[in-house]
Amino acid sequence: VKITAANIISGGAFKTDNELVVDSKGKIISADFEGKTVDITAKGDIVASNVHAVNNASIISEGELDGLTVLAEGKELVDDVDAIVARGTWIVGGEYIAENGNITAEATVGSIVSAIILAKAGETQITVNAAQELDGVVIATPGDIELNAYGITGGLYVSEHGNIELTATGEDISGVYAKSKEGYVVITTENGKDIIGTTADAYTYAYIVASGNVIDSAAVSETDEAKIQ
């Protein structure tokens, strides 16, 4: 099933047992989408909408992703296909949940703010990139977490079995708690920026590596090396 809008999609519920493809030349507002796979593209913002995919969901906007609820069951994923791909200029709020499979989220111009990103099963990976900041983001997965942003403020990052790597390229990292229950945690800043009020809590090694100063932060390892530098 393919839905094409010359301008805005506002409201409505669109459901199929097969592939659902949605293309809006404007915004998408307060709509529900459900299909075996769901592929949504929009020229404008996608706002306050719900997406449910049996396999995988792709939500890509040339505007913002604001207040979305996205659930992908990941039942029949093809190799190298993420359960959820979410990409917009900003990602603000919302929940992105994969019952099985990887998640990729990207803010291409701005920040990711107050989003919840959860992968529930298997050797999954969550990859998050922001052109500006990650602010108050919550991420949990059994697998790996890889984050790259200009700056990182606040946030909770938890891995049950995998590793966590957080990198800020242009601003400080502050107020972050990252815990890996069976792997390592590495938190890094570049370009002379500080790490402030942040904890790396790992089963194996825990490294806090600032190109500037480290202030009121902790590295904790249950079995290996804990290092602050």
Side-chain angles (χ1 to χ4, degrees), residues 79-101:
D79 290 345
D80 299 325
V81 173
D82 290 346
I84 296 174
V85 174
R87 183 177 300 117
T89 55
W90 287 65
I91 299 176
V92 180
E95 299 179 357
Y96 300 83
I97 301 170
E99 297 289 347
N100 183 59

Side-chain angles (χ1 to χ4, degrees), residues 140-143 145 156-164 177-185 200-205 220-223:
T141 177
I145 298 172
L156 173 66
Y157 308 100
V158 179
S159 170
E160 295 291 330
H161 312 297
N163 305 310
I164 301 176
Y177 181 79
K179 181 176 181 64
S180 174
K181 298 180 181 180
E182 294 185 1
Y184 67 75
V185 176
D201 184 354
Y203 182 76
T204 62
Y205 59 85
V220 180
S221 169
E222 186 172 338
T223 64

Side-chain angles (χ1 to χ4, degrees), residues 7 11 16 24 46 57 67 98 111 114 131 139 144 152 162 168 185 188-189 209 219:
N7 198 352
T16 176
S24 173
I46 304 175
S111 300
S114 300
I139 295 177
D144 295 336
I152 304 174
V185 176
T188 305
T189 58
V209 183

Side-chain angles (χ1 to χ4, degrees), residues 1 5 10 30 33 37 40 44 55 86 90-91 98 103 114 132 135 138 185:
V1 175
S10 180
S30 299
F33 304 97
T37 64
I40 300 172
N55 289 342
W90 287 65
I91 299 176
I103 300 175
S114 300
Q132 292 298 321
D135 292 335
V138 175
V185 176

Side-chain angles (χ1 to χ4, degrees), residues 1-2 14-22 33-40 51-59 71-78 81-83:
V1 175
K2 184 171 184 179
F14 307 89
K15 181 177 180 179
T16 176
D17 292 331
N18 299 304
E19 181 182 8
L20 178 62
V21 178
V22 180
F33 304 97
E34 184 173 349
K36 187 173 183 180
T37 64
V38 180
D39 185 352
I40 300 172
V51 178
H52 178 197
V54 174
N55 289 342
N56 58 286
S58 174
I59 305 98
L71 172 64
E73 298 180 34
K75 286 189 173 181
E76 298 176 1
L77 292 175
V78 179
V81 173
D82 290 346

